[in-house]
Amino acid sequence: MSAQPTDFETAVTRRYFMKGAAAASTIGIIGAGAAGPASAGPAWLAFEPIAANSLDTVTVPDGFAWYPLISWGDPLWSDAPAFDHETRGTGASQERSFGDNNDGMSLFTQGGNSLLVVNNEYTNRKISHGNRASQGPETDDDVRKSKANHGVSVVEIAMTDGRWMPVLDSGFNRRITADTPMEITGPARGHDLLKTRDDPSGTRSLGTWNNCANGQTPWGTYLACEENFHGYFSSSDPDLPLTDALKRYGVKHKDRGYGWATADERFDIARHPNEPNRAGYVVEIDPFDPASTPKKRTALGRFKHENAEVVVADNGHVVAYLGDDERGEFLYRFVSAAPWSGAGDDRDALENGTIHVAEFSDDGTGRWIPLTPETTGMDSAPLIAIHTRMAASAVGATTMDRPEWVASNPHRPEVYCCLTNNKNRGKKPNAGGDPTPVGGPNPRPENLYGQIVRWRPDNGDHTAEGFSWDLFVVAGNPAVHGDARAGSANVDAANMFNSPDGLKFDDRGGLWIQTDGNYSNEGDFAGHGNNQMLHASADSGAIARFLVGPRECEVTGLCWSPDRKTMFVGLQHPGERGSSTFPGGGDTVPRSTVIAVTRLDGGPIG
Ligand code: FEO
Ligand code: CA
Ligand code: CA
């Protein structure tokens, strides 16, 4: 028995009420540790927090600098042309260039080579097809370009004249697109629901798309997580009956503007009804083997995956924490069947295991419920891997306010998840009809601003059934609201933000929060400015704004150089509504960009 409670135990036993009486009466609001004015980061990274702004550039604190590393359409090989601001590229040029809308990313270093692996989540059609009168795809080549805007880019980077730069023509450079062959692994491999005309075995699919956030395994592979996969399918038969499963995953008859089914019939669910069952997974990629076939790991379930935060538990089992980003969907945990040996060539831990879903209680405890035929009443493990949402509904898991990134504290068994916002909380059930009551880690009705929940596994064991939880921060606007919408005690007029999304710890235990929210800077969001990145202390709960992105961007994706002196930050969809020319300025097309952030004194930044 420990004599002194840890910081975490103190936080969960001492109530920090949100500002305002309405909030104070809400059960389950437990703020972070000591609140107060935002600190300027830890001593090793002291910085003056910056003010919110609506500028069309990147803002970092005094003493720091940034430069663009790579943007949508930059060639990865010298046989591809430079980005063409008139045409915005062709199918052929895009297949040889950095994809669009960079999202989650990781850096891998081996034998002196550094590979930046980046998800290219989607494409803003008004920008990428802005050369067309319709501002959408009009030709088969437009669809080919669109499919190559998506997927994953592997790009070697190297330090040149004091800056990290892409290595053109590196043998490691690779584009993975919506047409790249994939191997389907795990429990759903070969299941009837995965069989198609072109793949009667149900073991090989084509492509990955809408890869949102990511993960990195200790054996050196990259995890690209398929999120809104449903939006690319449509039906040539307007009367095709939609199954409950298609409805739960949001697949509809009407094309949403990508037009992929017009050029590639596998996206037509009237002709190929099982194709949607082959997307919505976590895809494992070996970055140092450009000829390798990416593996869809069905053991990690099928839903609108955000990221995959991989932790090796003390007992050697590999744990992946996984969010399903849709209003009222769930938070999951995968536990491998076998322990990982610790050897780099032991690479199948994600092949078999058990997926669990989180149930949070209002008293600050919770448990992971295994999804098995016994607990769910569903026929088989393969069916649970394919229809994971229905399995989670069957056990009565807690409907969440859109789980985005999960991040595990490298210094102690403690895990955080961004719950970005949920306008339907307390108002509308999720797509499966599950109620979304106000309470627990989802404490506010019609949640505008979002919050970050954290939990500590019982006995420090990531494979344990139980955990205790609290809310690390409840975002809000204390300058506009005096009730629960003001946020928790560690939010003030100087550091306020909305819609936490990206979340990552640096090696030193600093927590970085990236936002994807309302950037109007008006009304409920007055004073929030553009989307941003904040540094937080997991110990004190202090939060300070470190970076503001350009107009209409989302800040998403974060990793570091091997020496930790450069931080790579993703800026997605600047100008999605037409008000940015970042990064080129002038009359250039706005382009999603990965930037490098450094300290002027050359010190570490993570
Ligand atoms: Fe692609 Fe949930 O963000
Ligand atoms: Ca996200
Ligand atoms: Ca988001």
Side-chain angles (χ1 to χ4, degrees):
M1 230 178 91
S2 62
Q4 293 294 323
T6 65
D7 286 350
F8 187 92
E9 286 164 339
T10 303
V12 294
T13 54
R14 183 179 55 193
R15 291 286 173 99
Y16 275 91
F17 298 122
M18 294 193 297
K19 305 172 193 80
S25 66
T26 305
I27 294 172
I29 306 297
I30 306 164
S39 90
W44 65 269
L45 187 73
F47 67 92
E48 194 66 36
I50 60 172
N53 71 57
S54 299
L55 302 173
D56 194 25
T57 188
V58 177
T59 310
V60 291
D62 287 344
F64 294 81
W66 68 276
Y67 57 89
L69 176 76
I70 192 165
S71 298
W72 164 47
D74 281 345
L76 303 187
W77 293 273
S78 53
D79 59 7
F83 181 77
D84 184 329
H85 288 262
E86 289 295 321
T87 65
R88 295 115 199 261
T90 63
S93 72
Q94 188 56 57
E95 286 166 358
R96 305 286 283 168
S97 302
F98 189 66
D100 199 1
N101 278 26
N102 47 269
D103 205 312
M105 58 182 169
S106 298
L107 188 81
F108 296 83
T109 298
Q110 184 180 295
N113 300 101
S114 290
L115 308 186
L116 189 66
V117 188
V118 188
N119 285 349
N120 297 113
E121 187 184 27
Y122 67 105
T123 190
N124 297 88
R125 297 181 296 274
K126 284 185 178 174
I127 298 173
S128 57
H129 303 298
N131 57 322
R132 301 294 187 205
S134 64
Q135 298 203 310
E138 295 183 359
T139 67
D140 283 2
D141 193 66
D142 287 345
V143 172
R144 180 180 167 192
K145 176 171 86 173
S146 176
K147 287 160 92 181
N149 282 334
H150 289 71
V152 178
S153 298
V154 181
V155 52
E156 183 173 5
I157 60 173
M159 188 66 96
T160 309
D161 298 332
R163 285 188 168 197
W164 288 96
M165 299 288 288
V167 179
L168 207 63
D169 298 319
S170 163
F172 293 112
N173 289 353
R174 183 179 189 186
R175 277 310 319 278
I176 292 167
T177 73
D179 288 318
T180 303
M182 306 267 140
E183 184 182 352
I184 299 170
T185 81
R189 176 181 169 86
H191 191 272
D192 282 349
L193 283 172
L194 301 191
K195 293 175 180 170
T196 64
R197 183 194 67 190
D198 295 336
D199 174 27
S201 71
T203 61
R204 306 255 318 164
S205 67
L206 286 183
T208 183
W209 56 90
N210 216 284
N211 305 89
C212 185
N214 65 315
Q216 194 168 357
T217 67
W219 50 92
T221 59
Y222 181 79
L223 303 175
C225 306
E226 297 177 336
E227 192 185 26
N228 293 304
F229 66 89
H230 62 293
Y232 302 80
F233 295 97
S234 57
S235 174
S236 56
D237 173 4
D239 300 319
L240 181 79
L242 290 181
T243 61
D244 287 347
L246 286 173
K247 287 181 191 164
R248 181 66 188 271
Y249 286 91
V251 178
K252 294 188 172 162
H253 294 102
K254 197 171 178 304
D255 178 71
R256 298 178 202 227
Y258 284 109
W260 287 11
T262 63
D264 184 345
E265 68 169 66
R266 75 192 156 95
F267 292 93
D268 180 353
I269 57 169
R271 291 179 177 179
H272 303 284
N274 281 347
E275 278 292 352
N277 298 331
R278 292 145 64 89
Y281 298 105
V282 171
V283 181
E284 185 170 7
I285 297 166
D286 180 356
F288 281 101
D289 182 0
S292 59
T293 302
K295 294 178 176 175
K296 293 206 170 189
R297 295 297 194 184
T298 67
L300 276 61
R302 176 169 166 267
F303 42 87
K304 295 180 187 175
H305 279 281
E306 187 69 22
N307 80 333
E309 178 73 342
V310 177
V311 181
V312 180
D314 287 348
N315 59 20
H317 288 264
V318 175
V319 171
Y321 291 104
L322 310 155
D324 181 354
D325 179 10
E326 187 173 303
R327 295 179 194 103
E329 289 295 340
F330 306 111
L331 178 67
Y332 296 90
R333 179 188 73 173
F334 165 85
V335 180
S336 67
W340 179 54
S341 69
D345 60 357
D346 179 5
R347 295 184 151 206
D348 280 327
L350 304 182
E351 178 73 14
N352 285 301
T354 303
I355 191 151
H356 304 71
V357 66
E359 179 187 70
F360 291 80
S361 299
D362 285 347
D363 65 0
T365 66
R367 67 180 179 123
W368 294 103
I369 306 172
L371 299 179
T372 65
E374 292 71 35
T375 61
T376 64
M378 287 170 70
D379 277 353
S380 63
L383 211 54
I384 292 166
I386 299 167
H387 292 155
T388 313
R389 283 184 165 182
M390 279 95 109
S393 287
V395 301
T398 303
T399 57
M400 306 294 282
D401 284 348
R402 297 186 51 200
E404 300 252 27
W405 294 46
V406 182
S408 174
N409 189 329
H411 293 169
R412 53 182 182 254
E414 181 183 274
V415 193
Y416 294 63
C417 178
C418 287
L419 303 171
T420 196
N421 57 54
N422 182 0
K423 66 182 182 185
N424 294 343
R425 172 62 56 187
K427 203 176 157 192
K428 243 178 109 170
N430 69 10
D434 303 318
T436 64
V438 174
N442 310 285
R444 292 178 296 187
E446 299 175 42
N447 176 14
L448 281 179
Y449 298 111
Q451 63 270 6
I452 298 177
V453 63
R454 70 175 165 185
W455 63 93
R456 188 180 195 187
D458 286 353
N459 308 313
D461 173 6
H462 284 283
T463 66
E465 178 187 5
F467 58 85
S468 53
W469 66 270
D470 73 350
L471 292 175
F472 176 70
V473 61
V474 181
N477 193 328
V480 171
H481 296 294
D483 58 12
R485 292 170 294 177
S488 50
N490 50 348
V491 170
D492 58 36
N495 70 4
M496 58 187 177
F497 61 94
N498 70 88
S499 307
D501 184 337
L503 192 67
K504 203 162 210 174
F505 277 95
D506 61 43
D507 282 0
R508 294 162 196 256
L511 180 61
W512 298 85
I513 303 167
Q514 302 177 317
T515 72
D516 169 24
N518 186 304
Y519 44 69
S520 66
N521 208 27
E522 294 175 353
D524 289 324
F525 306 97
H528 286 197
N530 292 346
N531 278 309
Q532 57 192 277
M533 183 166 77
L534 307 105
H535 179 277
S537 164
D539 297 327
S540 72
I543 298 172
R545 187 181 296 113
F546 179 83
L547 178 150
V548 176
R551 283 186 199 141
E552 300 176 356
C553 83
E554 158 185 355
V555 182
T556 186
L558 183 60
C559 58
W560 286 265
S561 61
D563 63 6
R564 302 295 186 264
K565 292 181 175 177
T566 305
M567 168 192 257
F568 301 104
V569 180
L571 302 172
Q572 193 192 68
H573 63 67
E576 65 173 355
R577 294 183 184 167
S579 297
S580 171
T581 56
F582 183 85
D587 58 359
T588 62
V589 173
R591 294 196 287 159
S592 293
T593 296
V594 176
I595 64 166
V597 179
T598 60
R599 279 168 66 159
L600 294 179
D601 67 5
I605 199 167

